[in-house]
């Protein structure tokens, strides 16, 4: 069973709907007992970094999820702000991140040529694979994904970067190291392209 | 790099989808679940779904129907109509709708916009306004599905809503709705140039050149349209369509 960690943030219905569509069992839950039984976890997230981090702490689920991910090495996929929470911290807020990736979440900084670009980065964009990984297997070169974010992740551990996206700057749009993975975009809202990625997470990742 | 979004806007009336002209003459299109499924298969950028009788009938969203619709749509889904409380908002988020569109309620209780933005992020808090041009060329915002005058200027309202935390603003021209004569580019530009957040133009699209025009000259971040995606030919026969990625790239 895949458990979508419900800490009060994010559009969990869509994620569960898409897993159902690809034939994987998934539930959204905030119950520590259910989460402890999970084979895999989804860490969702939308909105402001600090608000999400604080809500996650308030639920008391941070140590529960932390143990599963860091000690039991259960596969986890962070989505959007869920990925950002896995970094050391964000320029958007003061709260410390989980620090699962040697990465920071930073503001978009455009040069003059790209100064006209709007923030948030909202809409469909491509993700260019830079490293092969079971999460991005059977990749459709036409793949595009739905993004909506005002801050983005920069990984210092470059071998954790699986895909990059251009929006004035290079965004590290898919990260993966060991059992820890994340996407800056919303696969649950990205047609068959996002479905492929979630199916890969459900079937290829052990 | 991204291209501006092109969004089918669908109107829910009771259990069916309709298309109006100037907010009147609703023409029945079909079953919403079927039509949303077709749009999903055509891989649209996003869908806007508005329940146009919710507020006039003083009722909330049709959660069961929306749940069935959301189960078919693996695309960004925005819903508006009768959202009056955070309870409504939380229910909609939990069934898979991630953008909450507030129109009459944003006017009557602007604090709801702030609450939605605080709870789900500003990208989830969308304010829609229906605008009519008066005899002297002055624009005015209407609520209750175009039935009630507010005396409010759309630019002023948009700036206010952005301050309340709205992450996106939909400008719907009542005069252009269903006419297929082109967007009110002047109206859209006035609003888009006054706010930082993305503005979605709605009302009047008759072809993809109109869409391109409102993006390039109206400075809209996205364009929503009804008739061109649901009608075919001069007799307005119902046929669901959506441009291919190649066509969109060429026009926009």
């Amino acid at each position: 069973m895949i458990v979508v960690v419900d800490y009060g943030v994010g559009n969990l219905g869509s994620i569960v709907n898409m897993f159902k569509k690809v034939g994987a069992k998934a539930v959204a839950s905030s119950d520590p007992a259910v989460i402890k039984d999970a084979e895999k976890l989804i860490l969702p997230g939308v909105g402001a970094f600090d608000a999400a981090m604080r809500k996650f702490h308030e639920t008391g689920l941070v140590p529960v999820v932390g143990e599963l991910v860091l000690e039991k090495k259960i596969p986890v996929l962070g989505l959007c702000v869920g990925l950002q929470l896995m970094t050391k911290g964000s320029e958007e807020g003061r709260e410390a991140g989980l620090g699962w990736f040697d990465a920071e979440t930073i503001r978009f900084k455009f040069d003059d040529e790209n100064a006209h670009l709007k923030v948030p980065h909202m809409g469909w964009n491509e993700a260019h694979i830079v490293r092969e990984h079971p999460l991005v297997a059977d990749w459709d070169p036409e793949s595009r994904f739905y993004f909506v974010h005002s801050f983005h992740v920069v990984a210092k551990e470059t071998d954790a970067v699986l895909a990059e996206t251009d929006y004035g700057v290079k965004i590290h749009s898919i990260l993966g190291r060991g059992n820890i993975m994340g996407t800056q975009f919303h696969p649950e809202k990205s047609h068959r392209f996002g479905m492929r990625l979630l199916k890969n997470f459900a079937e290829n990742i052990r | 790099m991204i291209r501006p979004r092109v969004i089918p806007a669908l109107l829910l009336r009771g259990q069916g989808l309709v298309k109006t002209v100037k907010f009147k003459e609703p023409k029945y299109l079909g079953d919403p679940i079927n039509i949303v499924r077709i749009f999903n298969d055509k891989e649209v950028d996003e869908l806007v779904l508005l329940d146009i009788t919710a507020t006039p009938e003083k009722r909330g969203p049709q959660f069961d129907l929306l749940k069935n619709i959301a189960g078919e749509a693996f695309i960004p889904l925005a819903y508006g109509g009768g959202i009056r409380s955070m309870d409504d908002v939380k229910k909609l988020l939990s069934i898979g709708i991630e953008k909450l569109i507030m129109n009459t309620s944003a006017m009557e209780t602007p604090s709801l916009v702030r609450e939605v933005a605080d709870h789900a992020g500003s990208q989830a808090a969308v304010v829609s306004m229906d605008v009519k041009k008066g005899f002297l060329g002055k624009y005015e915002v209407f609520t209750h599905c175009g039935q009630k005058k507010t005396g409010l200027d759309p630019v002023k309202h948009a700036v206010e809503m952005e301050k309340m935390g709205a992450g996106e603003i939909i400008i719907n021209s009542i005069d252009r709705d269903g006419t297929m004569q082109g967007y009110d580019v002047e109206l859209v530009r006035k609003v888009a140039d006054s706010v930082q957040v993305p503005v979605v133009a709605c009302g009047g699209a008759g072809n993809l050149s109109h869409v391109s025009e409102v993006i390039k000259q109206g400075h809209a971040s996205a364009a929503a349209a009804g008739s061109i995606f649901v009608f075919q030919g001069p007799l307005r026969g119902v046929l669901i369509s959506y441009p291919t990625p190649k066509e969109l790239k060429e026009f926009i």
Side-chain angles (χ1 to χ4, degrees):
Chain A
M1 180 82 91
I2 297 167
V3 178
V4 183
V5 181
D6 179 5
Y7 60 99
V9 169
N11 181 6
L12 313 184
S14 308
I15 304 168
V16 174
N17 284 348
M18 197 179 255
F19 274 122
K20 269 188 197 150
K21 187 82 180 175
V22 300
K25 272 193 174 172
V27 288
S29 179
S30 56
D31 180 350
V34 173
I35 293 172
K36 277 180 188 157
D37 266 350
E39 288 163 42
K40 292 170 194 179
L41 295 171
I42 296 287
L43 187 61
V46 291
F49 184 90
D50 275 5
M53 202 63 229
R54 274 184 213 133
K55 276 193 184 163
F56 195 15
H57 278 300
E58 277 165 21
T59 58
L61 291 173
V62 175
V64 178
V65 171
E67 192 194 329
L68 288 170
V69 170
L70 299 177
E71 285 168 36
K72 298 201 171 143
K73 305 282 184 195
I74 282 182
V76 60
L77 178 69
L79 304 180
C80 195
V81 173
L83 165 66
Q84 297 183 358
L85 295 184
M86 295 173 166
T87 66
K88 293 187 162 174
S90 172
E91 288 183 359
E92 188 181 15
R94 296 151 161 261
E95 296 282 333
L98 298 166
W100 296 349
F101 283 115
D102 186 8
E104 304 283 347
T105 304
I106 66 165
R107 203 176 289 282
F108 278 99
K109 292 175 197 88
F110 299 126
D111 56 19
D112 291 347
E113 198 185 318
N114 291 303
H116 63 282
L117 291 175
K118 281 214 175 198
V119 175
H121 169 216
M122 188 195 278
W124 293 81
N125 207 334
E126 291 155 4
H128 306 284
I129 301 298
V130 294
R131 199 159 69 82
E132 283 187 25
H133 190 278
L135 185 65
V136 294
D138 299 321
W139 198 252
D140 182 337
E142 298 284 296
S143 286
R144 53 201 160 90
F145 298 94
Y146 185 70
F147 288 79
V148 47
H149 60 121
S150 300
F151 292 78
H152 67 96
V153 169
V154 176
K156 287 185 188 135
E157 40 173 341
T158 47
D159 54 351
V161 179
L162 304 185
E164 294 177 339
T165 293
D166 289 324
Y167 190 65
V169 293
K170 265 205 171 50
I171 300 165
H172 293 159
S173 49
I174 309 179
L175 263 62
R177 183 190 15 84
N179 61 318
I180 305 172
M181 289 148 273
T183 69
Q184 179 59 70
F185 50 80
H186 288 275
E188 77 279 14
K189 287 286 156 184
S190 301
H191 306 315
R192 60 192 157 97
F193 312 113
M195 218 175 271
R196 160 58 56 197
L197 188 136
L198 290 190
K199 195 172 168 31
N200 283 346
F201 180 71
E203 294 176 1
N204 294 355
I205 306 288
R206 290 279 171 260
Chain B
M1 290 293 280
I2 64 171
R3 63 162 172 73
R5 290 162 288 148
V6 176
I7 307 170
L10 305 175
L11 307 178
L12 204 53
R13 187 171 184 265
Q15 301 273 311
L17 286 185
V18 297
K19 180 66 199 102
T20 53
V21 176
K22 300 189 182 184
F23 280 35
K24 293 186 181 115
E25 307 166 38
K27 179 174 175 175
Y28 181 74
L29 301 175
D31 171 59
I33 298 171
N34 266 329
I35 292 178
V36 167
R37 191 184 290 139
I38 297 171
F39 276 119
N40 182 67
D41 291 347
K42 292 188 180 295
E43 297 176 357
V44 298
D45 289 343
E46 194 169 323
L47 270 186
V48 162
L49 194 64
L50 299 171
D51 187 332
I52 57 171
T53 46
T55 297
E57 288 173 3
K58 297 191 173 61
R59 59 168 172 79
Q62 307 178 64
F63 294 107
D64 288 341
L65 178 62
L66 292 170
K67 189 172 181 176
N68 289 331
I69 292 174
E72 296 293 332
F74 301 104
I75 46 178
L77 205 54
Y79 168 81
I83 301 175
R84 287 169 296 191
S85 68
M86 283 307 288
D87 264 0
D88 291 343
V89 167
K90 287 175 187 169
K91 261 193 211 161
L92 291 167
L93 289 169
S94 76
I95 63 181
I97 285 164
E98 66 267 286
K99 290 189 179 187
L100 296 314
I101 304 174
M102 291 158 282
N103 188 325
T104 303
S105 58
M107 184 70 80
E108 290 175 349
T109 21
S111 59
L112 184 62
V113 178
R114 165 66 57 207
E115 276 187 85
V116 173
D118 285 347
H119 177 75
S122 61
Q123 84 293 333
V126 181
V127 169
S128 171
M129 60 178 89
D130 302 326
V131 181
K132 219 177 202 170
K133 203 173 188 172
F135 289 117
L136 302 169
K138 198 169 165 285
Y139 289 110
E140 182 181 351
V141 180
F142 281 65
T143 58
H144 296 78
C145 272
Q147 293 170 14
K148 213 168 158 183
K149 287 164 85 80
T150 65
L152 215 69
D153 170 59
V155 169
K156 225 171 146 183
H157 186 44
V159 169
E160 189 56 34
M161 289 297 105
E162 184 181 33
K163 271 188 212 150
M164 291 307 292
E168 193 163 42
I169 290 169
I170 301 175
I171 305 291
N172 199 358
S173 163
I174 297 174
D175 312 301
R176 301 293 177 102
D177 174 52
T179 63
M180 302 183 79
Q181 288 165 356
Y183 291 93
D184 189 334
V185 175
E186 183 199 348
L187 166 67
V188 173
R189 187 175 50 231
K190 274 187 178 180
V191 177
D193 289 352
S194 318
V195 294
Q196 297 296 314
V197 296
V199 165
V200 183
C202 191
N207 53 51
L208 283 181
S209 302
H210 290 151
V211 170
S212 159
E213 185 189 14
V214 81
I215 286 163
K216 286 176 185 144
Q217 275 137 53
H219 305 162
S221 296
S227 308
I228 55 168
F229 301 136
V230 297
F231 292 135
Q232 167 90 336
L235 296 176
R236 294 163 78 86
V238 176
L239 181 75
I240 306 301
S241 68
Y242 189 76
T244 61
K246 194 167 160 264
E247 286 171 307
L248 286 173
K249 225 175 214 170
E250 274 166 25
F251 269 94
I252 298 152

